[in-house]
Amino acid sequence: MTCVEAREGRPRVLVVEDEYFIADDLAQALAAEGAEVIGPVGDPREALELIARERIDRAVLDINLRGELVFDVASALKARGVPFVFATGYGGNVVPHGLDDVPRWEKPFDATSLARFLATGLAA
């Protein structure tokens, strides 16, 4: 937990997901766990803009957003020391070297379990 996060008590979690129902379920589950949700966003460029201007404590990324891969987003988060997970239907063999240590939650997943992990258990 960061110093700001400890002061405010609410982790700020970026949700990068293009499937509306998955994004909405995850956002609701995160809010129920006490997290402040940033997004959801379904476009890698929009996610990069948020990373550049917002304080983000954790993130969850779908690997494929309408045919665009999110590895630039993942690299930007990693460069800033923001812990994140991939929530995807893709296997680990798709993830490039340097990001292969990132936890993966395979779809379909339980939004509440993932939200609990993001809100309380994911560390840098």
Side-chain angles (χ1 to χ4, degrees), residues 1-10:
M1 198 176 327
T2 66
C3 293
V4 174
E5 189 180 334
R7 246 191 346 261
E8 295 178 6
R10 292 182 55 167

Side-chain angles (χ1 to χ4, degrees), residues 79-93:
R80 288 167 177 75
V82 176
F84 62 96
V85 300
F86 290 122
T88 184
Y90 282 90
N93 60 329

Side-chain angles (χ1 to χ4, degrees), residues 10 12 30 45 48 52 56 83 85 103-105 114 116 118:
R10 292 182 55 167
R12 294 172 50 95
L30 282 163
R45 286 166 297 286
L48 287 168
I56 298 170
V85 300
R104 281 187 324 104
W105 285 68
L114 179 53
R116 196 166 289 137
L118 288 165

